[in-house]
Amino acid sequence: MFNSTTWAQYFTALFLLLVCYYTVIGLRFYHWEILSLIGIKKIEGDSISSSSVADFKKSFETENHDDYLPKPSSEIDISPLMQAFTDEVRAYLQQADNCITSYELLHSINLIILKYPVLRDTEYREELVQLIFDEVNTQYPNHLRQSEIRQLLS
């Protein structure tokens, strides 16, 4: 009887028996682990997980397009812009010639204002006018009037 069986047949039969044995053991005792490998998860108890329900509901909600639009200027913090603007005006006035005309001064300040278009629409316009007027009057007294500066910001 052993003479009629070759070693190849023996190892093939042994291999097939081991595969069948481990398949039965795996399915019997480790079926949830095997199913989790392909993405199927077991729900514990009779309750449904609230996070999965929330995720499911969230997939049906529409997005609010206003979240992606720029915020109105009233919600934007403009204090860094105000600081940069005042620093630039001060730097220009310190470097300007002593014999500058009021027209050149208005034109230069207008170019600085054009760099910061958000400042035209703020509620701090009067403070800006007063700040520019004070800075200009410290360097060049009686060169500009507040009405001229208001026209630049409007």
Side-chain angles (χ1 to χ4, degrees), residues 57-151:
K57 285 182 181 178
K58 197 178 284 185
S59 66
F60 290 107
E61 291 177 1
T62 59
E63 293 181 358
N64 189 1
H65 294 289
D66 294 335
D67 294 340
Y68 299 104
L69 296 175
K71 296 189 181 351
S73 61
S74 63
E75 295 179 14
I76 297 173
D77 182 23
I78 63 167
S79 58
L81 283 173
M82 289 283 286
Q83 185 63 40
F85 175 75
T86 56
D87 290 344
E88 194 166 346
V89 168
R90 286 180 185 142
Y92 170 74
L93 291 174
Q94 289 174 356
Q95 293 178 354
D97 293 334
N98 287 336
C99 58
I100 192 169
T101 64
S102 62
Y103 175 76
E104 291 171 338
L105 195 59
L106 275 174
H107 180 68
S108 301
I109 292 174
N110 189 28
L111 289 177
I112 295 172
I113 290 172
L114 289 176
K115 289 183 187 178
Y116 303 95
V118 175
L119 296 179
R120 289 177 180 237
D121 300 330
T122 64
E123 64 267 6
Y124 304 112
R125 186 178 296 152
E126 284 303 315
E127 288 85 0
L128 268 175
V129 169
Q130 188 63 39
L131 180 115
I132 295 170
F133 182 72
D134 292 341
E135 291 295 324
V136 169
N137 273 339
T138 57
Q139 295 286 331
Y140 308 104
N142 300 325
H143 261 68
L144 295 180
R145 295 186 308 256
Q146 283 187 345
S147 61
E148 295 172 329
I149 298 171
R150 271 194 203 94
Q151 287 176 349

